Amino acid sequence: MNIVVIGKSGQLASEIAKLSVDDTNIICLGRLDIDLLNVDSISEKLIDLAANAVINASAYTAVDLAETEPEQTYLLNSEAVGNLSMACANVKIKLVHVSTDFVFDGKSNLPYSVNDTVNPISVYGASKAEGEKLIQKYLPEQSCIIRTSWVYSTFGNNFVKTMIRFMAEKPELSIISDQIGTPTFAGGLAKICLHAAMNNTRGIHHYTDNGVASWYDFAVAIQELAIEKGLLDKVIPIKAIGTKDYPTPATRPNYSVLDKSTLKEQFPNIELMHWRKQLSKMLDVLKLELS
């Protein structure tokens, strides 16, 4: 089985590339390897690679920059996704697409289900919601959309690695405490995406690690575990602040916990872990890579 992964420079694609499955070839493509703005070109590439399924792990993810670059954001998160959907329809193969908690407005106080109405409050969220619509338009029976949140890994730039760097360099930090979600290790998300690509998994599903946290809680846990593992050699004060104290160009959902109830049926062999346990495992790997 040949599975094509789009977005090879990103943290999710990097985690997928690490996975090993018998009789399965994982082929990672970057922006120079495939033209996502040309449907015919995509179709030809998928035929040349004898692709059986595609995992789209590429996206414009600079949430604040997206507010001033809406055309570029929609180009990558919407138009390119529509093109990829049409190409997969042309060659009759499956598409697994990764979406985001940012398609919701964050005004709920209950975890969002897969059937809740999307209502994005940022350019990034709106572009991802539009990408979802195009998949459902062009490839409704051969697609799987997996929404996730707060993704991190040993690869690329992310909140965990940024916090460790800041904690080593700065005398103190102020972190937002009134935005609630769930940190998600990209390694676990990679397994879900690969499972969906290899099986007849369709529709929209939510995947995150277990538990909930604020960004402040997440930062505190990062410092505690990094100290414990020797990645940091000193403790600095971490102050909890409100969203109003740290204005950003893009509005974030205040509450974006995702209801994962459909996973039990569609991914019966996937073991969900608490986010702090996954964070600990990721930091163990990071320490090995830095040693």
Side-chain angles (χ1 to χ4, degrees), residues 16-265:
I16 295 172
K18 288 170 54 178
L19 301 176
S20 176
V21 181
D22 291 342
D23 301 322
T24 300
N25 298 314
I26 298 173
I27 306 161
C28 295
L29 304 179
R31 65 183 64 185
L32 300 179
D33 304 312
I34 188 168
D35 182 5
L36 294 179
L37 301 181
N38 186 311
V39 177
D40 292 337
S41 177
I42 300 170
S43 300
E44 290 171 8
K45 174 66 76 170
L46 296 178
I47 291 170
D48 289 345
L49 294 173
N52 300 106
V54 174
I55 299 173
N56 183 30
S58 68
Y60 185 110
T61 57
V63 176
D64 287 323
L65 194 58
E67 296 296 313
T68 54
E69 293 186 351
E71 291 184 4
Q72 182 71 4
T73 306
Y74 272 89
L75 197 66
L76 296 177
N77 291 350
S78 178
E79 184 176 338
V81 174
N83 292 341
L84 192 55
S85 302
M86 286 187 277
C88 286
N90 289 343
V91 299
K92 296 180 172 56
I93 65 172
K94 175 109 173 262
L95 172 64
V96 177
H97 175 72
V98 179
S99 193
T100 174
D101 58 324
F102 274 57
V103 298
F104 298 114
D105 59 21
K107 295 180 181 178
S108 176
N109 59 1
L110 295 172
Y112 285 96
S113 79
V114 296
N115 297 316
D116 282 337
T117 302
V118 301
N119 186 33
I121 54 176
S122 66
V123 170
Y124 168 69
S127 68
K128 294 291 287 185
E130 183 63 24
E132 291 185 8
K133 289 181 184 178
L134 292 176
I135 292 172
Q136 293 168 316
K137 176 181 179 180
Y138 296 123
L139 200 67
E141 299 301 321
Q142 289 179 277
S143 60
C144 177
I145 296 170
I146 300 173
R147 296 185 184 129
T148 190
S149 68
W150 299 22
V151 178
Y152 66 90
S153 164
T154 60
F155 297 101
N157 296 316
N158 54 67
F159 185 79
V160 175
K161 293 171 71 176
T162 298
M163 285 298 101
I164 290 175
R165 187 177 77 250
F166 284 174
M167 289 167 183
E169 298 172 350
K170 297 179 179 294
E172 64 179 18
L173 290 175
S174 296
I175 306 295
I176 291 173
S177 63
D178 58 356
Q179 292 176 18
I180 309 299
T182 305
T184 304
F185 175 48
L189 177 61
K191 293 176 183 178
I192 286 285
C193 291
L194 190 58
H195 180 281
M198 296 176 64
N199 294 278
N200 189 32
T201 309
R202 295 179 293 178
I204 299 176
H205 304 283
H206 291 165
Y207 174 82
T208 66
D209 290 328
N210 276 342
V212 299
S214 67
W215 290 109
Y216 169 78
D217 296 325
F218 195 14
V220 168
I222 291 167
Q223 178 169 247
E224 289 177 352
L225 290 169
I227 289 287
E228 177 185 305
K229 297 174 187 299
L231 286 164
L232 293 171
D233 58 12
K234 69 180 191 310
V235 175
I236 66 169
I238 303 176
K239 178 183 177 183
I241 61 171
T243 298
K244 63 180 178 56
D245 299 315
Y246 189 77
T248 57
T251 303
R252 267 82 168 165
N254 284 340
Y255 182 90
S256 59
V257 177
L258 299 176
D259 181 330
K260 302 184 288 290
S261 56
T262 64
L263 290 177
K264 296 176 183 177
E265 178 181 337

Side-chain angles (χ1 to χ4, degrees), residues 160 164 225 229 231 279-287:
V160 175
I164 290 175
L225 290 169
K229 297 174 187 299
L231 286 164
L279 173 62
S280 180
K281 291 176 65 176
M282 175 272 194
L283 293 178
D284 286 338
V285 175
L286 182 63
K287 182 178 180 179

